[in-house]
Amino acid sequence: GWCPLSPTGAQTTQLLVEPPWRRAVLWDWVTLTCQGSGTAGATTWYKDGQRWGQEGWDHFTVTESGTYTCDRPGSGRSPPMRVSDDQVVLQVPAWALLELDTVTLRCWY
């Protein structure tokens, strides 16, 4: 399912990633969704710190590697999400992990 990259219940803009892996890679067909208060469809996207061409859309499938953030009126800018084109990657769930948690890891190469 969708996974927020900021704490549940926080009054901030959240960047959600699907599939829900912390190390996002292009060949996973990564979809980013911007969630926050304010007017739907008023999202501003940034890639590597620069305004990105997906403005107005609340979600899109990433086609280029880079570091993405989004901004929603009323709740500000999201934490960054890096999407890479690495050939070898160890992926962990995108939600917060605690000591002694059971987790699934995925290694692709």
Side-chain angles (χ1 to χ4, degrees):
W2 298 102
C3 182
L5 294 184
S6 59
T8 302
Q11 297 301 310
T12 58
T13 299
Q14 297 180 10
L15 192 55
L16 296 92
V17 58
E18 174 67 26
W21 297 104
R22 186 171 296 280
R23 290 289 305 276
V25 286
L26 286 178
W27 33 262
D28 261 341
W29 296 97
V30 173
T31 298
L32 298 181
T33 299
C34 193
Q35 193 173 76
S37 60
T39 307
T43 301
T44 301
W45 289 95
Y46 297 86
K47 176 181 175 284
D48 300 326
Q50 304 295 317
R51 285 173 79 113
W52 182 238
Q54 301 290 339
E55 290 190 39
W57 294 86
D58 292 327
H59 67 276
F60 71 100
T61 299
V62 177
T63 58
E64 298 180 17
S65 61
T67 300
Y68 294 85
T69 59
C70 66
D71 189 281
R72 288 290 298 269
S75 55
R77 196 178 293 201
S78 72
M81 175 66 188
R82 174 163 162 66
V83 181
S84 72
D85 57 359
D86 294 341
Q87 297 303 305
V88 179
V89 61
L90 177 64
Q91 293 176 305
V92 300
W95 53 86
L97 300 176
L98 301 175
E99 188 176 1
L100 301 181
D101 280 352
T102 299
V103 300
T104 298
L105 303 179
R106 187 173 83 162
C107 185
W108 287 94
Y109 54 90

